[in-house]
Amino acid sequence: MQARVQDIISMIESYFPLRLAESWDNPGLQLGSRRQPVNRVLISLDLDLQILDLARQEKVDLIVTHHPLFFRAPQNIDFDQAQGALIQGLIKSNISVYSAHTNVDAGEQGLSQVLAEKLGLEEIKPLDNYRQEQLLKLIVFVPFSHLKAVREAMSQAGAGHIGKYSECSFSTPGKGTFKPGAETRPYIGEQGRLEEVDEYRLEMVLYERELKKVVKALELAHPYEEVAYDVYELKNEYQVFSMGRKGRLKEAIKLKEFGGLVKKVLNLENIRVVGSLEERVEKVAVVSGAGAGFIDIAARQGMDVLISGDIKYHEAKNAQALGLALIDAGHQGTEQIVSSLLCRLLEESSQKQGWKITFLPAYSPQVFSSL
């Protein structure tokens, strides 16, 4: 089967749903057609004329960017200006554009998570409670003949995930009773007669976002004309999403040494540091992109150092006053890893679907250079 733009979008949003994006953001399809066939995809942090030239050379059908092509609606499209020329070139080349921005930042496998892992942090956790998802339990009553089919359908629709385990369920046997009415077509029993049937009570947990899909799947797999099920809200800890991560180094090291590790991991020529280079750090917070808004949060949680980008003077002074060291590795420096991240995830997903799609990472030169 030929993959289309919508198929790539669905794969991305299965990892990074749009509901995780900030209200001011504009992720999603930027330009093109969801029905367009796709064989080659270019993935980059930004989209400019240089990336467009590369896309043309590689004969790609779709460009996936982290930063949206359009943050807000353009007032005009002037082909003699940079953005207008870019839009004209994309349309002439029949290249669609899709952007995944703050939803990737906040995703469970997002940029800050990858950066924290690359730096060797342990005990990695969300830095704050940016989003929380309600956990539910769905209970359905199934005849034994269809127990396996219903359980598998619910699992495939997203139920039964507990931590790193999948297809988790619990079932107990019992007796179900019902009397089919005059206009029914019962799978078991006769109209107007009370029936007693051997059934199983099947229980599975799921997140609220999956409820409609799971219910639809169980109804399709269930043999009964009217399916009996209950949904309960749970008080268990909800799934938490955050733009940042926190963790620990295996052992405390000097800030100067840790800064060198950041440069090496991100392949950077230079970084900016706030704090004593001889001070030892162990508890680390990570926010890819522009994360100065997390300085107070990181300090309140007792972090020794925050790694992010786009730190301004007064923000750095605030961190100093709070006793929090900073490593400014740049907006581009902390987000450039998005290309390899999305390539890896999309290659895994497309292989499972049996699609032969080529995913190409694109890395732009650093915007800022050192003298």
Side-chain angles (χ1 to χ4, degrees):
M1 185 179 70
Q2 174 68 63
R4 299 182 182 274
V5 167
Q6 180 57 52
D7 297 314
I8 308 301
I9 291 174
S10 296
M11 288 194 294
I12 295 172
E13 293 179 2
S14 69
Y15 292 106
F16 308 110
L18 294 182
R19 67 178 179 278
L20 297 182
E22 292 274 16
S23 59
W24 51 261
D25 198 7
N26 185 39
L29 183 66
Q30 306 286 296
L31 184 149
S33 169
R34 294 174 183 271
R35 297 189 297 273
Q36 181 181 352
V38 174
N39 293 298
R40 295 172 68 81
V41 179
L42 186 71
I43 301 176
S44 66
L45 177 61
D46 299 292
L47 178 52
D48 54 24
L49 291 171
Q50 183 178 357
I51 294 296
L52 175 58
D53 287 342
L54 177 60
R56 285 167 164 165
Q57 292 170 25
E58 295 291 347
K59 296 181 171 53
V60 305
D61 310 296
L62 171 67
I63 298 174
V64 176
T65 70
H66 185 49
H67 295 141
L69 176 61
F70 305 113
F71 270 108
R72 53 187 61 87
Q75 296 300 307
N76 56 65
I77 301 176
D78 184 346
F79 292 164
D80 295 324
Q81 299 298 317
Q83 188 182 49
L86 180 60
I87 295 169
Q88 181 187 38
L90 290 165
I91 294 172
K92 282 186 174 181
S93 302
N94 194 30
I95 298 174
S96 294
V97 180
Y98 178 88
S99 298
H101 191 210
T102 51
N103 49 319
V104 172
D105 294 331
E108 191 174 5
Q109 301 182 61
L111 290 179
S112 293
Q113 177 69 28
V114 173
L115 183 54
E117 292 171 358
K118 282 181 173 289
L119 293 171
L121 300 189
E122 299 179 341
E123 303 174 30
I124 300 171
K125 298 178 181 177
L127 183 56
D128 71 338
N129 296 341
Y130 167 70
R131 292 275 195 277
Q132 289 186 321
E133 295 217 51
Q134 174 70 52
L135 190 65
L136 308 175
K137 176 173 281 190
L138 193 154
I139 299 171
V140 61
F141 302 91
V142 191
F144 179 73
S145 60
H146 285 70
L147 178 63
K148 181 180 178 181
V150 171
R151 183 177 62 237
E152 289 180 349
M154 290 173 64
S155 295
Q156 291 172 8
H161 289 272
I162 300 178
K164 295 183 179 180
Y165 293 83
S166 61
E167 300 185 46
C168 302
S169 69
F170 184 78
S171 57
T172 52
K175 294 286 187 181
T177 62
F178 54 86
K179 181 188 289 185
E183 297 180 359
T184 62
R185 299 176 61 186
Y187 174 76
I188 297 173
E190 300 176 6
Q191 293 178 357
R193 188 173 111 185
L194 182 66
E195 296 293 336
E196 186 175 276
V197 182
D198 291 327
E199 293 180 330
Y200 273 80
R201 173 189 169 110
L202 174 64
E203 304 181 24
M204 299 184 80
V205 296
L206 66 151
Y207 284 102
E208 189 171 29
R209 67 178 185 269
E210 309 287 3
L211 181 60
K212 288 184 179 180
K213 187 165 62 171
V214 171
V215 169
K216 182 178 180 180
L218 83 85
E219 288 179 336
L220 289 173
H222 203 290
Y224 287 179
E225 188 176 23
E226 296 288 349
V227 181
Y229 65 88
D230 301 316
V231 179
Y232 298 92
E233 289 188 357
L234 300 181
K235 293 296 184 181
N236 303 54
E237 183 177 336
Y238 303 162
Q239 186 172 10
V240 176
F241 296 95
S242 173
M243 296 290 180
R245 295 291 185 275
K246 61 183 177 181
R248 289 178 176 270
L249 294 169
K250 290 182 180 179
E251 58 182 6
I253 60 176
K254 291 181 179 180
L255 179 60
K256 181 178 180 179
E257 183 182 347
F258 185 52
L261 174 63
V262 173
K263 287 174 62 176
K264 181 180 178 181
V265 166
L266 296 179
N267 193 28
L268 299 174
E269 291 184 8
N270 58 75
I271 57 175
R272 297 192 301 164
V273 180
V274 176
S276 171
L277 296 179
E278 298 302 311
E279 193 75 25
R280 301 183 78 82
V281 297
E282 181 182 6
K283 293 177 285 185
V284 180
V286 175
V287 181
S288 63
F294 288 83
I295 288 174
D296 289 341
I297 294 171
R300 283 198 302 269
Q301 297 192 39
M303 298 292 105
D304 299 320
V305 58
L306 167 66
I307 305 166
S308 192
D310 291 352
I311 306 295
K312 297 178 181 179
Y313 172 77
H314 291 291
E315 294 163 345
K317 291 290 288 183
N318 179 42
Q320 273 186 330
L322 294 170
L324 175 71
L326 299 175
I327 293 179
D328 186 339
H331 196 122
Q332 184 178 5
T334 56
E335 290 192 336
Q336 192 84 300
I337 54 177
V338 71
S339 297
S340 57
L341 167 64
L342 290 179
C343 275
R344 175 175 57 82
L345 295 176
L346 293 177
E347 282 173 354
E348 292 173 359
S349 294
S350 63
Q351 286 173 6
K352 290 178 182 178
Q353 296 293 335
W355 291 322
K356 294 182 179 179
I357 304 173
T358 301
F359 295 96
L360 305 164
Y363 301 100
S364 300
Q366 289 290 320
V367 173
F368 296 99
S369 57
S370 303
L371 291 176

